[in-house]
Amino acid sequence: MVSDRSGAAGLPAEWAVLGKHPGQSMGYEVLAGSLPSTRAQRYLWSATTGTPDAREPASGLPWRVFLSGAEKETGSVCAVVDTSWDGSKDGTGRPSYTWRLLLLEWSAASRAGVTWTALDRAVSLAASDSVPRAATVAPVRTPATELAGTVDRLGFEWAAGMAALLLDGHQLVITPPPGGAVPDVAERVRILDAICSLLPYGCRAWLSGATWTGKAEHGLRLVFAAAARTGQQEVALRTGRPPAPQGEAARIYLGELLRVRAKRESTTDVVAHLLAATAAVPLREPGTAVRVLQELDLLDSVLNDIRRGRGRVDDVQRLLDLQAAGSLDEQRLGALVSFLAGCARRPDGAAARAVLTRHWTARVPDLLAADVVSRAASKETLTLAREYLELLRGLEGTHPGSFERLFTVLATTERYDPAWVGSLAYMVEKEFGHISEAVDRILVDSREAGLAWQRVLLEDQNRVRDLRPLSRLVTLAGQVRVERRPGWLRFAGVLTGQTGPAEVFPGDAAEFVSGHEDAWRIALEIARQHGRPVVFGLMWDVLRQAVDSGGQRDVLPLLDALLPPGAPDLMPEAAADADLLRVLAGLNGADSRLALSMSRLRRLSPDPAVLDAYAATIAQRTEGDPALKDRVVEALLGDEPDPGNSWTVLSWWIRRRPSTEATVRDGLARRLASSDYSRWVGIDLPDDLVDSLVHRSGLGWLRPVQRLRVAARGRAEVSEFSRIIADACPDRRFSGPLLDEIASLIGDLGAWWAFDLTTELDQRRPGLGFAVYEALGSSPFHREVRDRLVRYSADEENRHRRILGALRAAAPGHDRPPQRPAYRPPPNPAAGPVPGAAPAAPPPPQPPTGYPEHPDDRAVAQQYQADDQRRGLLGRFKNRGRP
């Protein structure tokens, strides 16, 4: 015999079947059941009120009889007996009926609030089972609204009068109205249940009823029948008003019932209150029922006091002692539970905790959660949730699982502020050490909740560096495809070392830091402590924004701590990002010295692959940002030339991004036009870049100066130097950088080399060598070289005087050499006049000598001419040297 085929957990019930075996002609007996046969027979015979009469259609089977006891049974029960006939007959040919009993002990039935409607449905299912089994009754409380609806259809005054007569001790017989028919069995059960619902539920400890009775004597209190028997009160269904009760308590009860109904807008309130009064009410104490009914106003008065802030724990205790907490609707019970929980949180809350524990219901966590989320999310509601959780943590010993239930309901309430949920989740983990996978899933699935949780986590990171909670969520998020994970958790996976940078999408780092203003700083500190420099490149956009908004003085120390220049394992991409941020910081005034900007590049390995990766990062970051691009070019050029890594990166950049060449050219031009130009000449610049530079105003000297340096490095002959200088000075004028380079060469190679050079220059272009001396003598920048040449020329002059003296001493009697006409070199139409020399007079006609000129004479004449030039040069140097 099973009352619920749905498989839902139910209340255990006893059962029994009374009938005859096939062909049996003697009396009925218990055929099967879980009850002892003797006890089963008492209840079964108590429900026997006769046999159906075919002449009365209303008496047709099945019959339902509801019992609260039986003769010789001392305790109250909640039982139903179903009388049916399947068409079988006994040995005498008469119908063989079957009685089925379903019985619950009163304590279990009253706690669950089992009504006759619920019993009727249970026995209806049981009657359809061909094989009896262990019985259960679904613990579904018949809704107060359903019973109240039947009361209203019957008419409240009629139903209330019937209830008052029952309380007065009458046996009531409901008969069909004049000219009317009796409703079907199910409706009759509802009518019986509705009348009883206007009495306290505890009256069912003695109430009994039947959907129909025959002619046999019985003691049932409320039945349907064709007519009343002696001692019974007959009342037609829904007709007029029942007779007034005789007993004082019953009259008072009827008056109170009509009063409270008039006071309220619905019958449901009255029925719900009475159904909740499950304490047994003895038949001989009708005054108890009156007090229970009057407690309906007590509930309202207690709730009103609570709403006005005047609630008292004693009043709530008295109310719950009279009215079971589980029988109250959500709104009223929620108000009582919240009040008790609020009192229990106070230092003097022992009494409130005792009342809450004594009247505990499984709905308490849900009601407390509902109280929290009924208010707008705020710090106050978070504090309230913490206090409720703390209260239930203290009650875990007697009510295990209540803490977890409250936490889960709070965190999973739909449409509540997800940021509040994130803060709650972190608070519970931090203060109670409690985590829930269901709540963690909320943090993973809800971006707002997750970021709020992360925000308070990062705030705590200022005090305690514990990334285990973050690692737990990263692990949970790792159970789904990478593209479905929240962006902030993808980045967190890199930060904690659980995933690689390849799994991070653009914007993930920005999402991670969006929840907290210092998140980028904390992330860098965490990365430094855990050796995760790879996060730096992922945070480029975030860190650039921080620098652009004036945070460079915070970024740079963290940058240097995470990616110190010269670190042996520094990745080129990270080095490029760090150097770029340093450049940006310079743009914002943190430090404008270019030498500091690209410090990591200058310490990188010269490996081409490393520098290519560095250059590629630079090119990518500066794409579409002309201001940054120009500044980076300036930083790569630097304050000091770096012909190594910096120029390699610039060359790569120019090859991959030809538009960069113009910026590089402009930067070089400025440096070559400065007073420190000499340092920049030594860079091995591409020919096309040099070609574009030499055409700029004032930079025509660049090519010959570079060639002179190449010749010097190659230890070229003096003729090569003279060729370069002669090609660069067709007008015998020297640019400052070219003269500086010639002076530098003389300083390195000596004054004798200068003499050879100028002699070569004169041979290539007469007067050009002398112009070198003129330019050096006129320049205020080469005093040391000029002084060195003066000394050399003076020494040579003195030497030649000694030579002349020696020559004169070797020919006594001759004061001077034989007089010959002054030697004049043949005119050279291609050569112009020597700068600074007097116009040459035309040579006098040469008398014939009569013999050929001796070769030595030509050599002597050339030596005289050289001596004259040196004397003139010496005089010029000496004059130039005077102040």
Side-chain angles (χ1 to χ4, degrees):
M1 180 181 292
V2 177
S3 65
D4 186 8
R5 297 178 185 271
S6 66
L11 299 175
E14 303 290 349
W15 63 277
V17 178
L18 182 72
K20 293 182 180 181
H21 292 289
Q24 182 178 348
S25 58
M26 300 301 292
Y28 289 90
E29 60 180 303
V30 176
L31 302 179
S34 61
L35 282 171
S37 178
T38 302
R39 189 181 182 199
Q41 285 180 347
R42 291 173 184 156
Y43 290 106
L44 289 167
W45 290 124
S46 295
T48 304
T49 63
T51 56
D53 188 342
R55 292 170 298 177
E56 297 181 15
S59 69
L61 298 177
W63 289 355
R64 299 281 193 270
V65 176
F66 302 98
L67 300 173
S68 57
E71 189 178 357
K72 297 184 179 180
E73 290 289 326
T74 57
S76 297
V77 296
C78 188
V80 60
V81 175
D82 169 80
T83 304
S84 61
W85 181 49
D86 60 3
S88 59
K89 296 183 179 181
D90 62 11
T92 64
R94 290 180 296 180
S96 178
Y97 301 104
T98 301
W99 286 265
R100 288 180 175 83
L101 167 68
L102 196 64
L103 181 146
L104 291 87
E105 297 298 335
W106 171 255
S107 58
S110 60
R111 282 195 305 270
V114 177
T115 60
W116 291 352
T117 304
L119 283 177
D120 176 66
R121 292 166 183 165
V123 79
S124 296
L125 291 173
S128 63
D129 278 345
S130 58
V131 180
R133 293 186 296 246
T136 59
V137 174
V140 178
R141 184 187 306 272
T142 303
T145 53
E146 180 181 333
L147 294 170
T150 305
V151 170
D152 289 337
R153 288 198 307 273
L154 294 171
F156 188 87
E157 290 189 2
W158 184 88
M162 296 289 285
L165 290 174
L166 288 172
L167 188 63
D168 207 22
H170 290 277
Q171 286 183 284
L172 300 183
V173 176
I174 303 174
T175 58
V182 177
D184 61 22
V185 174
E187 177 64 13
R188 282 181 246 170
V189 172
R190 285 191 287 270
I191 291 171
L192 297 176
D193 217 358
I195 294 172
C196 292
S197 71
L198 292 181
L199 292 171
Y201 183 93
C203 292
R204 295 174 188 254
W206 51 265
L207 281 171
S208 56
T211 58
W212 196 260
T213 58
K215 298 179 180 180
E217 296 289 339
H218 63 80
L220 302 176
R221 295 286 175 176
L222 180 63
V223 301
F224 279 89
R229 298 175 61 79
T230 303
Q232 297 176 333
Q233 177 69 54
E234 179 178 325
V235 182
L237 181 63
R238 298 193 189 97
T239 302
R241 175 179 295 185
Q246 301 300 311
E248 180 181 6
R251 290 198 305 272
I252 294 174
Y253 188 86
L254 178 59
E256 284 293 302
L257 202 55
L258 296 174
R259 181 186 68 81
V260 296
R261 175 60 185 86
K263 182 179 179 181
R264 282 163 172 74
E265 295 181 358
S266 71
T267 306
T268 302
D269 289 345
V270 180
V271 172
H273 170 72
L274 294 171
L275 284 176
T278 57
V281 177
L283 176 61
R284 295 181 299 274
E285 299 179 11
T288 301
V290 175
R291 289 193 295 273
V292 170
L293 179 59
Q294 291 173 338
E295 290 293 342
L296 179 58
D297 280 344
L298 174 63
L299 175 59
D300 286 346
S301 64
V302 169
L303 290 174
N304 287 333
D305 286 345
I306 290 174
R307 295 186 190 104
R308 295 169 184 169
R310 299 198 300 263
R312 297 175 65 250
V313 173
D314 291 345
D315 290 342
V316 176
Q317 179 177 354
R318 183 162 61 94
L319 171 64
L320 293 177
D321 286 343
L322 294 170
Q323 190 161 350
S327 66
L328 296 174
D329 59 61
E330 297 294 316
Q331 183 178 0
R332 290 172 175 172
L333 182 59
L336 296 176
V337 168
S338 298
F339 170 74
L340 289 174
C343 295
R345 300 195 315 268
R346 298 198 293 258
D348 59 346
R353 286 193 295 272
V355 174
L356 188 62
T357 301
R358 177 180 175 183
H359 296 282
W360 182 267
T361 168
R363 292 186 288 165
V364 166
D366 298 69
L367 295 171
L368 292 178
D371 180 42
V372 173
V373 300
S374 66
R375 315 165 193 233
S378 64
K379 290 183 178 179
E380 289 71 23
T381 53
L382 193 62
T383 300
L384 180 63
R386 178 192 294 112
E387 292 175 349
Y388 281 166
L389 286 164
E390 187 175 2
L391 173 65
L392 295 197
R393 172 57 65 90
L395 300 177
E396 276 287 302
T398 53
H399 306 292
S402 57
F403 178 93
E404 168 69 17
R405 175 63 183 173
L406 173 57
F407 176 42
T408 303
V409 174
L410 285 170
T412 57
T413 299
E414 293 184 3
R415 294 183 297 278
Y416 202 62
D417 184 3
W420 185 91
V421 172
S423 299
L424 171 76
Y426 186 80
M427 178 270 293
V428 170
E429 181 173 1
K430 177 187 175 184
E431 298 189 12
F432 297 98
H434 185 86
I435 58 176
S436 166
E437 184 172 347
V439 178
D440 280 355
R441 181 62 63 186
I442 295 292
L443 301 178
V444 170
D445 293 341
S446 169
R447 178 180 181 274
E448 292 182 8
L451 286 177
W453 177 89
Q454 176 238 27
R455 181 180 62 250
V456 289
L457 170 73
L458 294 184
E459 287 173 355
D460 255 8
Q461 292 302 305
N462 288 325
R463 298 182 294 275
V464 180
R465 288 286 188 266
D466 184 4
L467 295 183
R468 287 176 296 179
L470 191 60
S471 297
R472 184 182 73 250
L473 290 191
V474 170
T475 301
L476 183 61
Q479 298 175 4
V480 300
R481 295 194 305 272
V482 64
E483 65 273 12
R484 295 185 58 191
R485 300 173 199 166
W488 69 275
L489 275 177
R490 283 194 294 263
F491 178 78
V494 179
L495 193 63
T496 58
Q498 294 171 263
T499 58
E503 296 186 16
V504 177
F505 292 0
D508 288 350
E511 183 172 289
F512 182 87
V513 304
S514 65
H516 191 277
E517 61 180 4
D518 287 335
W520 64 267
R521 182 183 294 104
I522 296 171
L524 285 182
E525 291 176 353
I526 293 172
R528 177 181 60 83
Q529 292 180 352
H530 292 81
R532 301 292 294 167
V534 68
V535 306
F536 186 81
L538 303 175
M539 295 180 65
W540 160 257
D541 291 333
V542 172
L543 297 177
R544 173 168 186 175
Q545 184 177 2
V547 170
D548 288 343
S549 60
Q552 59 268 18
R553 297 191 183 279
D554 295 326
V555 173
L556 295 182
L558 291 171
L559 168 65
D560 292 338
L562 179 60
L563 299 168
D569 56 348
L570 188 60
M571 295 181 295
E573 296 86 356
D577 284 331
D579 283 349
L580 281 174
L581 278 181
R582 176 68 71 173
V583 171
L584 280 170
L587 283 174
N588 288 286
D591 195 335
S592 60
R593 290 177 294 169
L594 294 177
L596 294 177
S597 299
M598 316 303 283
S599 56
R600 290 166 181 79
L601 169 62
R602 289 182 166 89
R603 299 187 187 186
L604 281 179
S605 164
D607 181 356
V610 171
L611 297 182
D612 283 357
Y614 183 100
T617 303
I618 292 289
Q620 176 190 356
R621 299 296 193 204
T622 58
E623 193 74 27
D625 192 340
L628 179 59
K629 175 182 176 182
D630 292 349
R631 182 66 180 183
V632 172
V633 169
E634 282 290 297
L636 286 171
L637 291 173
D639 298 311
E640 298 286 341
D642 177 20
N645 289 355
S646 295
W647 187 249
T648 301
V649 170
L650 276 173
S651 299
W652 184 98
W653 202 356
I654 292 172
R655 290 194 305 272
R656 301 301 196 282
R657 304 286 192 278
S659 62
T660 309
E661 182 176 347
T663 308
V664 175
R665 186 168 57 245
D666 292 343
L668 283 173
R670 286 192 300 273
R671 287 163 173 78
L672 291 170
S674 69
S675 59
D676 293 331
Y677 72 90
S678 179
R679 295 176 300 173
W680 301 93
V681 178
I683 299 178
D684 187 15
L685 301 175
D687 290 340
D688 56 348
L689 184 58
V690 175
D691 289 341
S692 63
L693 286 170
V694 298
H695 288 95
R696 292 199 172 198
S697 176
L699 295 181
W701 55 265
L702 178 58
R703 179 75 74 189
V705 169
Q706 279 194 322
R707 289 174 178 173
L708 287 175
R709 292 194 177 185
V710 172
R713 289 196 298 269
R715 299 179 180 274
E717 297 292 335
V718 71
S719 59
E720 176 64 16
F721 289 97
S722 66
R723 183 190 64 77
I724 296 171
I725 296 172
D727 291 344
C729 303
D731 56 356
R732 297 186 182 88
R733 293 180 182 178
F734 300 91
S735 63
L738 181 58
L739 185 62
D740 291 344
E741 194 66 24
I742 294 172
S744 177
L745 290 170
I746 294 173
D748 291 340
L749 301 177
W752 61 271
W753 182 85
F755 180 80
D756 289 344
L757 174 67
T758 54
T759 302
E760 284 279 345
L761 288 174
D762 280 336
Q763 289 176 353
R764 289 182 179 276
R765 187 161 296 169
L768 183 57
F770 189 79
V772 171
Y773 291 121
E774 281 283 331
L776 290 172
S778 302
S779 172
F781 304 111
H782 305 296
R783 185 182 301 273
E784 182 179 350
V785 172
R786 184 185 62 205
D787 291 345
R788 186 174 179 181
L789 288 173
V790 167
R791 289 194 300 271
Y792 176 78
S793 296
D795 290 344
E796 286 296 302
E797 183 180 26
N798 291 333
R799 178 173 175 270
H800 281 285
R801 286 197 182 102
R802 290 195 301 273
I803 292 173
L804 289 173
L807 290 173
R808 292 190 185 102
H814 298 280
D815 295 333
R816 56 187 178 185
Q819 296 296 319
R820 289 184 179 180
Y823 174 80
R824 299 291 181 183
N828 184 2
V834 177
Q846 300 294 323
T849 59
Y851 55 87
E853 183 179 2
H854 194 279
D856 291 340
D857 293 340
R858 187 181 299 112
V860 171
Q862 291 176 347
Q863 184 64 52
Y864 286 160
Q865 185 181 17
D867 289 343
D868 289 342
Q869 289 181 352
R870 290 193 183 92
R871 291 188 189 97
L873 178 61
L874 180 60
R876 289 176 182 273
F877 276 151
K878 289 178 179 178
N879 292 334
R880 297 289 184 184
R882 293 191 183 99

